Coordinates of all heavy atoms in Angstrom, one line a residue:
M1 N 0.8 -1.2 0.0 CA 0.1 0.0 0.0 C 0.8 1.2 0.0 O 0.6 2.2 -0.7 CB -0.9 -0.1 1.2 CG -1.8 1.3 1.3 SD -3.5 0.8 1.8 CE -4.0 2.3 2.3
G2 N 2.0 1.2 0.8 CA 2.9 2.4 0.8 C 3.4 2.8 -0.5 O 3.6 3.9 -0.9
L3 N 3.7 1.7 -1.3 CA 4.4 1.9 -2.6 C 3.3 2.6 -3.5 O 3.6 3.4 -4.4 CB 4.9 0.6 -3.2 CG 6.1 0.0 -2.6 CD1 6.4 -1.3 -3.2 CD2 7.2 1.0 -2.8
A4 N 2.0 2.2 -3.5 CA 0.9 2.8 -4.3 C 0.8 4.2 -4.1 O 0.8 5.1 -5.0 CB -0.3 2.1 -4.2
V5 N 0.9 4.6 -2.7 CA 0.9 6.0 -2.4 C 2.0 6.8 -2.9 O 1.9 7.9 -3.4 CB 0.7 6.1 -0.8 CG1 0.8 7.6 -0.4 CG2 -0.6 5.5 -0.4
A6 N 3.2 6.2 -2.8 CA 4.4 6.9 -3.3 C 4.4 7.1 -4.8 O 4.7 8.1 -5.4 CB 5.7 6.1 -2.9
A7 N 3.9 6.0 -5.5 CA 3.8 6.1 -7.0 C 2.8 7.2 -7.4 O 3.0 8.0 -8.3 CB 3.4 4.8 -7.6
T8 N 1.6 7.3 -6.7 CA 0.7 8.4 -7.0 C 1.2 9.8 -6.7 O 1.1 10.7 -7.5 CB -0.6 8.1 -6.1 OG1 -1.1 6.9 -6.4 CG2 -1.7 9.1 -6.4
A9 N 2.0 9.9 -5.7 CA 2.6 11.1 -5.4 C 3.7 11.6 -6.4 O 3.7 12.6 -6.9 CB 3.3 11.1 -4.0
L10 N 4.3 10.6 -6.9 CA 5.4 10.9 -7.9 C 4.7 11.2 -9.2 O 5.1 12.2 -10.0 CB 6.2 9.6 -8.3 CG 7.4 9.5 -7.2 CD1 8.1 8.1 -7.6 CD2 8.3 10.6 -7.3
Q11 N 3.5 10.6 -9.6 CA 2.8 11.0 -10.9 C 2.2 12.4 -10.7 O 2.2 13.0 -11.6 CB 1.7 9.9 -11.1 CG 2.2 8.6 -11.6 CD 1.1 7.5 -11.6 OE1 0.0 7.8 -11.2 NE2 1.3 6.5 -12.1
A12 N 1.8 12.7 -9.5 CA 1.1 14.1 -9.3 C 2.3 15.1 -9.6 O 1.9 16.3 -10.0 CB 0.6 14.2 -7.9
H13 N 3.5 14.9 -9.4 CA 4.6 15.9 -9.6 C 5.4 15.7 -10.9 O 6.4 16.4 -11.1 CB 5.6 15.8 -8.4 CG 4.9 16.2 -7.0 ND1 4.6 17.5 -6.9 CD2 4.6 15.5 -6.0 CE1 4.0 17.6 -5.6 NE2 4.0 16.5 -5.1
S14 N 5.0 14.6 -11.7 CA 5.7 14.4 -13.0 C 5.5 15.6 -13.9 O 4.5 16.3 -13.8 CB 5.2 13.1 -13.5 OG 4.0 13.3 -14.0
L15 N 6.5 15.9 -14.7 CA 6.4 16.9 -15.7 C 5.6 16.6 -16.9 O 5.8 15.4 -17.4 CB 7.8 17.5 -16.0 CG 8.6 18.0 -14.8 CD1 10.0 18.3 -15.3 CD2 8.0 19.1 -14.1
P16 N 4.9 17.5 -17.4 CA 4.1 17.2 -18.7 C 5.2 17.1 -19.9 O 6.3 17.7 -19.8 CB 3.2 18.3 -18.9 CG 3.8 19.5 -18.1 CD 4.6 18.9 -17.0
G17 N 4.9 16.5 -20.9 CA 5.7 16.5 -22.1 C 5.5 17.7 -22.9 O 5.1 18.7 -22.2
L18 N 5.6 17.7 -24.2 CA 5.3 18.9 -24.9 C 3.9 19.2 -24.8 O 3.1 18.2 -25.1 CB 5.8 18.8 -26.4 CG 7.3 19.0 -26.6 CD1 7.6 18.6 -28.0 CD2 7.8 20.4 -26.3
V19 N 3.4 20.3 -24.5 CA 2.0 20.7 -24.4 C 1.8 21.7 -25.6 O 2.5 22.7 -25.8 CB 1.7 21.4 -23.1 CG1 0.3 21.9 -23.1 CG2 2.0 20.5 -21.9
T20 N 0.7 21.3 -26.4 CA 0.3 22.2 -27.5 C -0.5 23.3 -27.0 O -1.4 23.2 -26.3 CB -0.4 21.4 -28.6 OG1 0.4 20.3 -29.1 CG2 -0.7 22.4 -29.7
L21 N 0.0 24.6 -27.3 CA -0.7 25.8 -27.0 C -0.9 26.6 -28.3 O -0.5 26.3 -29.4 CB 0.1 26.6 -26.1 CG 0.5 25.9 -24.7 CD1 1.5 26.8 -24.0 CD2 -0.7 25.7 -23.9
Q22 N -1.4 27.9 -28.2 CA -1.4 28.9 -29.1 C -0.5 30.0 -28.6 O -0.6 30.4 -27.4 CB -2.8 29.5 -29.3 CG -3.8 28.5 -30.0 CD -3.5 28.5 -31.6 OE1 -3.6 29.6 -32.2 NE2 -3.3 27.4 -32.1
C23 N 0.4 30.6 -29.5 CA 1.4 31.6 -29.2 C 1.4 32.7 -30.1 O 0.9 32.5 -31.3 CB 2.8 31.0 -29.1 SG 3.0 29.8 -27.8
R24 N 1.8 33.8 -29.6 CA 1.9 35.1 -30.5 C 3.1 35.8 -30.0 O 3.5 35.9 -28.9 CB 0.7 36.0 -30.2 CG 0.6 37.2 -31.1 CD -0.6 37.9 -30.9 NE -0.6 38.5 -29.7 CZ -1.7 39.2 -29.1 NH1 -2.8 39.3 -29.8 NH2 -1.6 39.7 -27.9
L25 N 3.8 36.1 -31.1 CA 5.1 37.0 -30.9 C 4.8 38.3 -31.3 O 4.4 38.6 -32.5 CB 6.2 36.3 -31.7 CG 6.6 34.9 -31.6 CD1 7.7 34.4 -32.4 CD2 7.0 34.8 -30.1
A26 N 5.0 39.3 -30.5 CA 4.8 40.7 -30.6 C 3.3 40.9 -31.0 O 2.5 40.3 -30.3 CB 5.7 41.2 -31.7
D27 N 3.0 41.6 -32.0 CA 1.6 41.7 -32.4 C 1.2 40.7 -33.6 O 0.3 41.0 -34.3 CB 1.2 43.2 -32.8 CG 1.3 43.9 -31.5 OD1 0.9 43.5 -30.5 OD2 1.8 45.2 -31.7
G28 N 2.1 39.7 -33.8 CA 1.8 38.8 -35.0 C 0.5 38.0 -34.7 O -0.1 38.0 -33.6
P29 N 0.3 37.1 -35.7 CA -0.9 36.2 -35.6 C -0.7 35.1 -34.5 O 0.5 34.7 -34.2 CB -1.0 35.6 -36.9 CG 0.3 35.6 -37.4 CD 1.0 36.8 -36.8
W30 N -1.8 34.6 -33.9 CA -1.7 33.5 -33.1 C -1.3 32.2 -34.0 O -1.8 32.0 -35.0 CB -3.0 33.3 -32.3 CG -3.2 34.1 -31.3 CD1 -4.1 35.3 -31.4 CD2 -2.8 34.2 -29.9 NE1 -4.1 36.0 -30.2 CE2 -3.3 35.3 -29.3 CE3 -1.9 33.4 -29.3 CZ2 -3.0 35.6 -28.0 CZ3 -1.7 33.7 -27.9 CH2 -2.2 34.8 -27.3
Q31 N -0.5 31.3 -33.4 CA -0.1 30.1 -34.2 C 0.2 29.0 -33.2 O 0.4 29.3 -32.1 CB 1.2 30.4 -34.9 CG 2.4 30.9 -34.1 CD 3.6 31.3 -34.9 OE1 4.1 30.5 -35.7 NE2 4.1 32.5 -34.7
D32 N 0.1 27.8 -33.6 CA 0.3 26.7 -32.8 C 1.8 26.6 -32.3 O 2.6 27.1 -33.1 CB 0.1 25.4 -33.6 CG -1.3 25.1 -33.8 OD1 -2.2 25.6 -33.2 OD2 -1.6 24.3 -34.8
C33 N 2.0 26.2 -31.1 CA 3.3 26.2 -30.5 C 3.3 25.2 -29.4 O 2.3 24.5 -29.1 CB 3.7 27.6 -29.9 SG 2.7 28.1 -28.4
Q34 N 4.5 24.9 -29.0 CA 4.5 23.8 -27.9 C 5.3 24.4 -26.7 O 6.2 25.3 -26.9 CB 5.3 22.5 -28.3 CG 4.5 21.6 -29.2 CD 4.5 22.1 -30.6 OE1 5.5 22.5 -31.2 NE2 3.4 21.9 -31.3
M35 N 4.9 23.9 -25.5 CA 5.6 24.3 -24.3 C 6.1 23.1 -23.7 O 5.5 22.1 -23.6 CB 4.8 25.0 -23.2 CG 5.3 25.3 -21.9 SD 4.3 26.1 -20.7 CE 4.4 27.8 -21.2
Q36 N 7.4 23.1 -23.3 CA 8.1 22.1 -22.5 C 8.5 22.7 -21.1 O 9.2 23.7 -21.2 CB 9.4 21.6 -23.2 CG 10.2 20.6 -22.5 CD 9.4 19.3 -22.4 OE1 9.0 18.7 -23.4 NE2 9.4 18.8 -21.2
V37 N 8.2 22.0 -20.1 CA 8.4 22.4 -18.8 C 9.6 21.5 -18.3 O 9.5 20.4 -18.3 CB 7.2 22.2 -17.8 CG1 7.5 22.6 -16.4 CG2 6.0 23.0 -18.3
E38 N 10.6 22.2 -17.9 CA 11.8 21.6 -17.4 C 11.7 21.4 -15.8 O 12.1 20.4 -15.3 CB 13.1 22.4 -17.7 CG 13.4 22.4 -19.2 CD 13.8 21.2 -19.8 OE1 14.5 20.4 -19.2 OE2 13.4 20.9 -21.0
E39 N 11.3 22.5 -15.2 CA 11.0 22.4 -13.8 C 9.8 23.2 -13.6 O 9.7 24.4 -13.9 CB 12.1 23.2 -12.9 CG 13.4 22.4 -12.8 CD 14.5 23.2 -12.1 OE1 14.3 23.2 -10.8 OE2 15.3 23.8 -12.6
L40 N 8.7 22.6 -13.0 CA 7.4 23.2 -12.9 C 7.4 24.5 -12.2 O 7.8 24.6 -10.9 CB 6.5 22.2 -12.1 CG 5.0 22.3 -12.4 CD1 4.5 22.3 -13.9 CD2 4.2 21.3 -11.6
G41 N 6.8 25.5 -12.9 CA 6.9 26.8 -12.3 C 8.2 27.6 -12.2 O 8.2 28.8 -11.9
L42 N 9.3 27.0 -12.7 CA 10.6 27.6 -12.4 C 11.3 27.7 -13.8 O 12.1 28.7 -14.0 CB 11.5 26.9 -11.5 CG 11.0 26.8 -10.0 CD1 11.9 25.9 -9.2 CD2 11.0 28.2 -9.5
H43 N 11.2 26.7 -14.7 CA 12.0 26.8 -16.0 C 11.2 26.0 -17.1 O 10.7 24.9 -17.0 CB 13.4 25.9 -15.7 CG 14.3 26.0 -17.0 ND1 15.2 25.0 -17.0 CD2 14.4 26.8 -17.9 CE1 15.9 25.2 -18.2 NE2 15.5 26.3 -18.7
W44 N 11.0 26.8 -18.1 CA 10.2 26.2 -19.3 C 10.7 26.9 -20.5 O 11.4 28.0 -20.5 CB 8.7 26.4 -19.0 CG 8.2 27.9 -18.9 CD1 7.8 28.6 -20.0 CD2 8.2 28.7 -17.9 NE1 7.4 29.9 -19.6 CE2 7.8 29.9 -18.4 CE3 8.7 28.6 -16.5 CZ2 7.6 31.1 -17.5 CZ3 8.5 29.7 -15.7 CH2 8.1 30.9 -16.1
F45 N 10.3 26.4 -21.7 CA 10.5 27.0 -22.9 C 9.3 26.7 -23.9 O 8.5 25.8 -23.8 CB 11.8 26.5 -23.5 CG 11.9 25.2 -23.9 CD1 11.5 24.7 -25.1 CD2 12.6 24.2 -23.1 CE1 11.7 23.3 -25.5 CE2 12.6 22.9 -23.4 CZ 12.3 22.4 -24.5
L46 N 9.2 27.7 -24.9 CA 8.2 27.7 -26.0 C 8.9 27.3 -27.2 O 9.9 27.9 -27.5 CB 7.4 29.0 -26.0 CG 6.6 29.4 -24.8 CD1 6.1 30.8 -25.0 CD2 5.4 28.3 -24.6
L47 N 8.3 26.6 -28.0 CA 8.7 26.3 -29.4 C 7.7 27.0 -30.4 O 6.6 26.5 -30.5 CB 8.9 24.9 -29.8 CG 9.9 24.1 -28.9 CD1 9.7 22.5 -29.1 CD2 11.3 24.5 -29.2
V48 N 8.1 28.1 -31.0 CA 7.2 28.9 -31.7 C 7.8 29.2 -33.0 O 8.9 29.8 -33.1 CB 6.9 30.3 -31.1 CG1 5.8 31.1 -31.8 CG2 6.5 30.1 -29.6
G49 N 7.2 28.7 -34.1 CA 7.6 29.0 -35.5 C 9.1 28.8 -35.7 O 9.8 29.6 -36.3
G50 N 9.6 27.7 -35.2 CA 11.1 27.3 -35.3 C 12.0 28.0 -34.3 O 13.2 27.7 -34.4
Q51 N 11.4 28.9 -33.4 CA 12.2 29.4 -32.4 C 12.0 28.7 -31.0 O 10.9 28.2 -30.8 CB 11.9 30.9 -32.3 CG 12.1 31.8 -33.4 CD 11.7 33.2 -33.1 OE1 12.2 33.8 -32.0 NE2 10.8 33.8 -33.8
R52 N 13.2 28.8 -30.3 CA 13.0 28.3 -28.9 C 13.2 29.4 -28.0 O 14.2 30.1 -28.0 CB 14.1 27.2 -28.7 CG 14.1 26.6 -27.3 CD 15.1 25.5 -27.2 NE 15.0 24.7 -26.1 CZ 15.5 24.9 -24.9 NH1 16.3 26.1 -24.7 NH2 15.5 24.1 -23.9
I53 N 12.1 29.7 -27.2 CA 12.2 30.8 -26.3 C 12.2 30.3 -24.8 O 11.2 29.6 -24.5 CB 11.0 31.7 -26.5 CG1 11.0 32.2 -28.0 CG2 11.0 33.0 -25.6 CD1 9.5 32.9 -28.4
E54 N 13.3 30.5 -24.2 CA 13.4 30.0 -22.8 C 13.1 31.0 -21.7 O 13.5 32.1 -21.7 CB 14.8 29.5 -22.7 CG 15.1 28.6 -21.4 CD 16.4 28.0 -21.5 OE1 17.1 28.0 -22.5 OE2 16.8 27.4 -20.5
F55 N 12.4 30.5 -20.6 CA 12.1 31.2 -19.4 C 12.5 30.6 -18.2 O 12.6 29.4 -18.1 CB 10.6 31.4 -19.4 CG 10.0 32.1 -20.6 CD1 9.6 31.3 -21.7 CD2 9.8 33.5 -20.6 CE1 9.0 32.0 -22.8 CE2 9.3 34.1 -21.6 CZ 8.8 33.4 -22.8
R56 N 12.9 31.5 -17.2 CA 13.1 31.0 -15.8 C 12.5 32.0 -14.9 O 12.4 33.2 -15.0 CB 14.7 31.0 -15.6 CG 15.4 30.0 -16.3 CD 16.9 29.9 -15.9 NE 17.7 29.0 -16.8 CZ 17.9 27.7 -16.5 NH1 17.3 27.2 -15.5 NH2 18.6 27.0 -17.3
H57 N 12.0 31.4 -13.8 CA 11.3 32.0 -12.7 C 12.1 31.7 -11.5 O 12.6 30.7 -11.3 CB 9.8 31.5 -12.5 CG 9.0 32.2 -11.5 ND1 9.2 32.1 -10.2 CD2 8.1 33.2 -11.7 CE1 8.3 32.8 -9.6 NE2 7.6 33.6 -10.5
D58 N 12.5 32.9 -10.8 CA 13.3 32.8 -9.6 C 12.6 32.3 -8.3 O 13.2 32.2 -7.2 CB 14.1 34.0 -9.3 CG 13.3 35.2 -8.9 OD1 11.9 35.0 -8.7 OD2 13.7 36.3 -8.6
G59 N 11.4 32.0 -8.3 CA 10.6 31.6 -7.2 C 10.1 32.8 -6.3 O 9.4 32.5 -5.4
R60 N 10.5 34.0 -6.7 CA 10.1 35.2 -5.9 C 9.4 36.2 -6.7 O 9.2 37.3 -6.3 CB 11.3 35.9 -5.3 CG 11.9 34.9 -4.2 CD 13.2 35.6 -3.7 NE 14.3 35.2 -4.8 CZ 15.4 35.8 -4.9 NH1 15.8 36.7 -4.1 NH2 16.3 35.4 -5.9
G61 N 8.8 35.8 -7.9 CA 8.1 36.7 -8.7 C 8.8 37.1 -9.9 O 8.1 37.8 -10.8
R62 N 10.1 37.0 -10.1 CA 10.9 37.6 -11.3 C 11.0 36.5 -12.3 O 11.4 35.4 -12.0 CB 12.1 38.1 -10.9 CG 12.1 39.3 -10.0 CD 13.4 40.1 -9.9 NE 14.4 39.2 -9.4 CZ 15.0 39.3 -8.3 NH1 14.8 40.2 -7.5 NH2 16.0 38.3 -8.0
V63 N 10.7 36.9 -13.5 CA 10.8 36.0 -14.8 C 11.8 36.5 -15.6 O 11.9 37.8 -15.9 CB 9.5 35.6 -15.5 CG1 9.6 34.8 -16.6 CG2 8.5 35.0 -14.5
T64 N 12.7 35.7 -16.2 CA 13.7 36.2 -17.2 C 13.5 35.3 -18.5 O 13.1 34.2 -18.4 CB 15.1 36.0 -16.7 OG1 15.4 34.8 -16.2 CG2 15.4 37.0 -15.6
M65 N 13.8 35.9 -19.6 CA 13.7 35.2 -20.9 C 15.1 35.3 -21.5 O 15.7 36.3 -21.4 CB 12.7 36.0 -21.8 CG 12.5 35.4 -23.0 SD 11.1 36.2 -24.0 CE 11.8 37.9 -24.2
L66 N 15.6 34.1 -22.1 CA 16.7 34.1 -23.0 C 16.6 34.8 -24.2 O 15.8 34.5 -25.0 CB 17.2 32.7 -23.1 CG 18.5 32.4 -23.7 CD1 19.6 33.0 -22.8 CD2 18.8 30.9 -23.9
K67 N 17.4 35.9 -24.4 CA 17.3 36.6 -25.7 C 18.2 35.8 -26.7 O 19.1 35.1 -26.4 CB 17.9 37.9 -25.5 CG 17.3 38.8 -24.5 CD 17.7 40.3 -24.3 CE 19.1 40.6 -24.9 NZ 19.4 42.0 -24.6
P68 N 17.9 36.1 -28.1 CA 18.7 35.4 -29.2 C 20.2 35.7 -29.0 O 21.0 34.9 -29.4 CB 18.2 36.1 -30.4 CG 16.7 36.4 -30.0 CD 16.9 37.0 -28.6
S69 N 20.5 36.8 -28.4 CA 22.0 37.2 -28.2 C 22.7 36.2 -27.2 O 23.8 36.3 -27.0 CB 22.1 38.7 -27.7 OG 21.6 38.7 -26.5
G70 N 21.8 35.4 -26.4 CA 22.4 34.6 -25.3 C 22.4 35.1 -24.0 O 22.9 34.5 -23.1
S71 N 21.9 36.3 -23.8 CA 21.8 36.9 -22.5 C 20.4 36.7 -22.0 O 19.4 36.8 -22.8 CB 22.3 38.3 -22.4 OG 21.5 39.1 -23.3
W72 N 20.2 36.8 -20.6 CA 18.9 36.8 -20.0 C 18.4 38.2 -19.7 O 19.2 39.0 -19.3 CB 19.0 36.0 -18.7 CG 19.2 34.5 -18.9 CD1 20.4 33.9 -19.0 CD2 18.2 33.5 -19.1 NE1 20.3 32.5 -19.2 CE2 18.9 32.3 -19.2 CE3 16.9 33.5 -19.2 CZ2 18.3 31.1 -19.5 CZ3 16.3 32.3 -19.3 CH2 16.9 31.1 -19.5
Q73 N 17.1 38.3 -20.0 CA 16.5 39.7 -19.7 C 15.3 39.5 -18.9 O 14.6 38.6 -19.0 CB 16.2 40.4 -21.0 CG 15.0 39.9 -21.8 CD 14.6 40.6 -23.0 OE1 15.4 41.1 -23.7 NE2 13.2 40.7 -23.2
P74 N 15.1 40.4 -18.0 CA 13.9 40.3 -17.1 C 12.7 40.6 -17.9 O 12.8 41.5 -18.9 CB 14.1 41.4 -16.0 CG 15.3 42.2 -16.3 CD 16.0 41.5 -17.5
V75 N 11.4 40.0 -17.7 CA 10.3 40.3 -18.5 C 9.2 40.3 -17.4 O 9.2 39.9 -16.3 CB 10.0 39.1 -19.4 CG1 10.9 39.2 -20.6 CG2 9.9 37.8 -18.9
N76 N 8.2 41.1 -17.8 CA 7.0 41.3 -17.0 C 5.9 40.2 -17.4 O 5.7 40.0 -18.6 CB 6.4 42.6 -17.1 CG 7.2 43.7 -16.6 OD1 7.7 43.5 -15.5 ND2 7.4 44.7 -17.4
S77 N 5.5 39.5 -16.4 CA 4.4 38.5 -16.7 C 3.1 39.0 -16.4 O 2.9 39.7 -15.4 CB 4.5 37.2 -15.8 OG 5.8 36.7 -15.9
R78 N 2.1 38.8 -17.3 CA 0.8 39.4 -17.1 C -0.3 38.6 -17.8 O 0.0 38.0 -18.8 CB 0.7 40.9 -17.4 CG 0.8 41.2 -18.8 CD 0.7 42.6 -19.1 NE 1.1 43.1 -20.4 CZ 0.7 42.7 -21.6 NH1 0.0 41.7 -21.7 NH2 1.1 43.2 -22.7
W79 N -1.5 38.5 -17.2 CA -2.5 37.8 -17.8 C -3.3 38.8 -18.6 O -3.6 40.0 -18.2 CB -3.5 37.2 -16.7 CG -2.9 36.0 -16.3 CD1 -2.3 35.9 -15.0 CD2 -3.0 34.7 -16.8 NE1 -1.9 34.6 -14.7 CE2 -2.3 33.9 -15.9 CE3 -3.5 34.1 -17.9 CZ2 -2.2 32.5 -16.0 CZ3 -3.2 32.8 -18.1 CH2 -2.6 32.0 -17.2
V80 N -3.7 38.5 -19.8 CA -4.5 39.5 -20.7 C -5.8 38.8 -21.0 O -5.9 37.7 -21.5 CB -3.7 39.7 -22.1 CG1 -4.5 40.6 -22.9 CG2 -2.3 40.3 -21.7
E81 N -6.9 39.4 -20.7 CA -8.2 38.9 -20.9 C -8.5 37.6 -20.2 O -9.3 36.8 -20.6 CB -8.6 38.9 -22.4 CG -8.5 40.2 -23.1 CD -8.6 40.0 -24.6 OE1 -9.2 39.0 -25.0 OE2 -8.3 40.9 -25.4
N82 N -7.8 37.4 -19.1 CA -7.8 36.2 -18.2 C -7.6 34.9 -19.1 O -8.0 33.8 -18.5 CB -9.3 36.1 -17.6 CG -9.4 37.3 -16.6 OD1 -8.5 37.7 -16.0 ND2 -10.7 37.7 -16.5
T83 N -7.2 35.0 -20.2 CA -6.9 33.7 -20.9 C -5.4 33.6 -21.6 O -5.0 32.5 -21.9 CB -7.9 33.5 -22.2 OG1 -7.7 34.7 -23.0 CG2 -9.3 33.5 -21.7
D84 N -4.8 34.8 -21.8 CA -3.5 34.8 -22.3 C -2.5 35.3 -21.3 O -2.7 36.2 -20.7 CB -3.5 35.7 -23.5 CG -4.7 35.6 -24.5 OD1 -5.2 34.5 -24.5 OD2 -5.0 36.5 -25.2
L85 N -1.4 34.4 -21.3 CA -0.3 34.8 -20.4 C 0.8 35.4 -21.2 O 1.3 34.7 -22.2 CB 0.2 33.5 -19.6 CG 1.3 33.7 -18.6 CD1 1.0 34.8 -17.7 CD2 1.7 32.4 -17.9
C86 N 1.2 36.6 -21.0 CA 2.3 37.3 -21.7 C 3.4 37.6 -21.0 O 3.3 37.9 -19.8 CB 1.7 38.5 -22.4 SG 0.3 38.2 -23.5
W87 N 4.6 37.4 -21.6 CA 5.8 37.9 -21.0 C 6.4 38.9 -22.0 O 7.0 38.5 -23.0 CB 6.8 36.6 -21.0 CG 6.4 35.5 -20.1 CD1 6.3 35.3 -18.7 CD2 5.6 34.4 -20.6 NE1 5.8 34.3 -18.4 CE2 5.3 33.5 -19.5 CE3 5.1 34.0 -21.8 CZ2 4.6 32.4 -19.6 CZ3 4.5 32.7 -22.0 CH2 4.2 31.9 -20.9
D88 N 6.2 40.1 -21.7 CA 6.5 41.2 -22.7 C 5.8 40.9 -24.0 O 4.7 40.7 -24.0 CB 8.0 41.6 -22.7 CG 8.5 42.1 -21.4 OD1 7.6 42.5 -20.5 OD2 9.7 42.2 -21.2
G89 N 6.6 40.7 -25.1 CA 6.1 40.5 -26.3 C 5.7 39.1 -26.8 O 5.3 38.8 -27.9
V90 N 5.8 38.1 -25.9 CA 5.5 36.7 -26.1 C 4.3 36.3 -25.3 O 4.2 36.5 -24.2 CB 6.8 35.8 -25.7 CG1 6.4 34.3 -25.9 CG2 7.9 36.3 -26.4
C91 N 3.3 35.8 -26.1 CA 2.1 35.4 -25.3 C 1.7 34.0 -25.6 O 2.0 33.5 -26.8 CB 0.9 36.3 -25.8 SG 1.0 38.1 -25.3
A92 N 1.0 33.3 -24.7 CA 0.6 32.0 -24.8 C -0.8 31.9 -24.3 O -1.2 32.5 -23.3 CB 1.5 30.9 -24.2
R93 N -1.6 30.9 -24.9 CA -3.0 30.6 -24.4 C -3.2 29.2 -24.6 O -2.7 28.4 -25.4 CB -4.0 31.4 -25.1 CG -4.1 31.1 -26.6 CD -5.5 31.7 -27.2 NE -5.5 33.0 -27.2 CZ -6.2 33.7 -28.2 NH1 -6.7 33.1 -29.3 NH2 -6.2 35.0 -28.2
G94 N -4.1 28.6 -23.7 CA -4.3 27.1 -23.6 C -4.1 26.8 -22.2 O -4.1 27.4 -21.3
D95 N -3.9 25.4 -22.1 CA -3.8 24.8 -20.7 C -2.3 24.9 -20.4 O -1.5 23.9 -20.5 CB -4.2 23.3 -20.8 CG -4.3 22.7 -19.4 OD1 -4.2 23.4 -18.4 OD2 -4.3 21.4 -19.3
I96 N -1.9 26.1 -19.8 CA -0.4 26.3 -19.5 C -0.1 25.6 -18.3 O -0.6 26.0 -17.1 CB -0.3 27.8 -19.5 CG1 -0.6 28.5 -20.8 CG2 1.3 28.2 -19.0 CD1 -0.7 30.0 -20.7
P97 N 0.9 24.7 -18.3 CA 1.3 23.9 -17.1 C 2.3 24.6 -16.3 O 3.5 24.0 -16.3 CB 1.7 22.6 -17.7 CG 2.3 23.0 -19.0 CD 1.5 24.2 -19.5
L98 N 2.1 25.7 -15.6 CA 3.2 26.3 -14.9 C 3.2 26.2 -13.4 O 4.0 26.6 -12.7 CB 3.2 27.8 -15.2 CG 3.6 28.2 -16.6 CD1 3.6 29.7 -16.9 CD2 5.0 27.6 -16.9
D99 N 2.1 25.5 -12.9 CA 2.0 25.4 -11.4 C 1.4 24.1 -11.1 O 0.8 23.4 -11.8 CB 1.5 26.5 -10.7 CG 0.1 27.0 -11.1 OD1 -0.5 26.3 -11.9 OD2 -0.4 28.1 -10.7

């Protein structure tokens, strides 16, 4: 019985695979994209139109995004219309697995 409880607890904390969402870059059109979560609520990336956009959350409310230049920049996270989560010019909608 103890093993069954432990297995259930592990499944509850397992990370999702690639999750299909809709994403928008800047003011461009919404398009299919995928999200991969590396650490739930702390490290994830989006695959949008051939681009990989990586994010990290410090656990205290600050989110950074990896720029194409290879440096990390702070971004503001905000919900738009209660359905879209945006980090500056990058937005996603759907079943976003961040917590």
Side-chain angles (χ1 to χ4, degrees):
M1 178 138 159
L3 289 176
V5 171
T8 302
L10 282 174
Q11 288 174 350
H13 292 291
S14 66
L15 298 176
L18 282 174
V19 176
T20 300
L21 304 171
Q22 289 280 303
C23 293
R24 184 174 68 190
L25 303 177
D27 290 324
W30 287 99
Q31 57 186 306
D32 287 338
C33 65
Q34 283 82 39
M35 175 182 272
Q36 175 69 52
V37 177
E38 298 291 322
E39 290 181 75
L40 201 57
L42 297 175
H43 182 204
W44 64 96
F45 62 87
L46 295 172
L47 299 171
V48 186
Q51 294 184 55
R52 184 178 190 270
I53 305 167
E54 188 170 352
F55 297 90
R56 290 188 186 268
H57 187 281
D58 68 358
R60 292 174 281 161
R62 290 192 310 242
V63 176
T64 55
M65 179 175 67
L66 185 60
K67 297 183 347 184
S69 66
S71 63
W72 291 90
Q73 72 177 36
V75 292
N76 293 313
S77 302
R78 64 179 170 51
W79 287 98
V80 179
E81 300 176 17
N82 296 326
T83 59
D84 310 338
L85 181 55
C86 297
W87 304 274
D88 291 349
V90 178
C91 295
R93 67 165 63 145
D95 190 15
I96 302 171
L98 292 181
D99 54 12

